Amino acid sequence: MIDHIVNAMDVHKRFGKVEVLKGVSLQVSLGEVVCIIGASGSGKTTFLRTLNGLETIDGGAITVNGHHVGYELDKRGQLVKASPKALAKVRSEIGFVFQRFNLWPHMTAIENIIEAPIRIRGIDKAEAIANAEELLRRVKLSDKRDVYPGKLSGGQQQRVAIARSLAMKPALMLFDEPTSALDPETIGEVLDVMKELALGGMTMVCVTHEMGFAREVSDRVVMMDGGVIIEEGTPEHFFMNPTHERTKQFLSKIL
């Protein structure tokens, strides 16, 4: 039994001479919802991208669902840089929802959803379609089954993107400010889907500026600043009684 779905220990990341992550450690338990907040440039998105190997780390270690991210054990039991095949296997267990949807524009909603399960997991097409139709029902888009992304609103595209990630039956879902590119009218429909996932027991790490969502849904809120975690705690602690001055300053400006 794995104690933590996510186990990030002393993670460092540089871009050239700039150290963006300066020793970030975070553990996330099965079924836990963790929201990461902080100002732009604090390292939130970079850290999220290291959790599924979109960014390689320069120090520390990350495991997701018991597997090393970005590295693998060789025949001598030494950690070496992961092969593309090993990295793809780890990523197949991690759903990632981006700010900008990243749907394939030449594919319909259902074609976007079935592509990875068929190609990566080798699922039969009929089964993949049945699963995709159920996911479209869950995100309240059954009537958009055969519609191309260009004909969908931003909120609808993001819900298709969530369904596409769920189609791989991930152990972990990562959300990188999934509502930041949406207009105010469609933010709620995406947050509603995320709330349902949380209530259903999905393990989630969300970078977000939606404080209402963080307060209502998260089990733990994490504050990043300057490439490190400066505070974490329950929503009650975090919003009612934060201890770090930077957290107090940040919350006073956005609440």
Side-chain angles (χ1 to χ4, degrees), residues 5-22:
I5 294 293
V6 176
N7 193 2
M9 299 295 294
D10 195 29
V11 174
H12 290 256
K13 174 64 182 177
R14 289 181 173 275
F15 292 105
K17 295 182 179 180
V18 179
E19 190 175 24
V20 178
L21 300 178
K22 303 174 183 177

Side-chain angles (χ1 to χ4, degrees), residues 92-137:
S92 72
E93 299 181 6
I94 307 169
F96 199 113
V97 179
F98 299 85
Q99 295 180 28
R100 289 283 175 180
F101 325 136
N102 286 13
L103 297 176
W104 293 298
H106 62 291
M107 294 183 179
T108 63
I110 197 162
E111 287 170 343
N112 264 278
I113 296 169
I114 67 174
E115 179 75 2
I118 291 172
R119 288 185 176 272
I120 296 173
R121 291 218 186 275
I123 292 174
D124 175 75
K125 185 175 182 179
E127 181 183 347
I129 289 173
N131 291 339
E133 288 174 338
E134 170 59 20
L135 288 169
L136 284 170
R137 185 195 64 76

Side-chain angles (χ1 to χ4, degrees), residues 208-223:
T208 184
H209 289 302
E210 299 291 339
M211 295 301 110
F213 174 82
R215 188 194 295 260
E216 180 184 349
V217 177
S218 66
D219 297 297
R220 193 159 31 116
V221 183
V222 172
M223 173 78 180

Side-chain angles (χ1 to χ4, degrees), residues 8-168:
M9 299 295 294
D10 195 29
V11 174
H12 290 256
K13 174 64 182 177
R14 289 181 173 275
F15 292 105
K17 295 182 179 180
V18 179
E19 190 175 24
V20 178
L21 300 178
K22 303 174 183 177
V24 179
S25 296
L26 182 71
Q27 288 75 46
V28 181
S29 300
L30 178 68
E32 190 176 17
V33 178
V34 175
C35 285
I36 303 176
I37 69 171
S40 296
S42 60
K44 309 182 303 295
T45 290
T46 298
F47 177 62
L48 199 74
R49 289 169 65 87
T50 67
L51 296 182
N52 79 333
L54 284 173
E55 299 290 354
T56 56
I57 61 176
D58 298 314
I62 299 171
T63 59
V64 172
N65 207 24
H67 303 293
H68 288 281
V69 177
Y71 295 87
E72 61 181 322
L73 293 173
D74 65 12
K75 293 178 180 178
R76 297 169 299 164
Q78 302 292 314
L79 274 179
V80 296
K81 187 175 180 180
S83 66
K85 183 178 179 181
L87 184 56
K89 184 178 186 304
V90 173
R91 279 186 180 158
S92 72
E93 299 181 6
I94 307 169
F96 199 113
V97 179
F98 299 85
Q99 295 180 28
R100 289 283 175 180
F101 325 136
N102 286 13
L103 297 176
W104 293 298
H106 62 291
M107 294 183 179
T108 63
I110 197 162
E111 287 170 343
N112 264 278
I113 296 169
I114 67 174
E115 179 75 2
I118 291 172
R119 288 185 176 272
I120 296 173
R121 291 218 186 275
I123 292 174
D124 175 75
K125 185 175 182 179
E127 181 183 347
I129 289 173
N131 291 339
E133 288 174 338
E134 170 59 20
L135 288 169
L136 284 170
R137 185 195 64 76
R138 283 180 65 185
V139 300
K140 299 177 174 60
L141 287 175
S142 293
D143 60 331
K144 304 297 183 183
R145 179 188 190 279
D146 300 312
V147 177
Y148 289 92
K151 298 292 185 181
L152 299 173
S153 71
Q156 289 169 340
Q157 289 186 60
Q158 193 62 293
R159 283 184 281 157
V160 172
I162 293 172
R164 182 175 66 176
S165 291
L166 292 174
M168 291 292 284

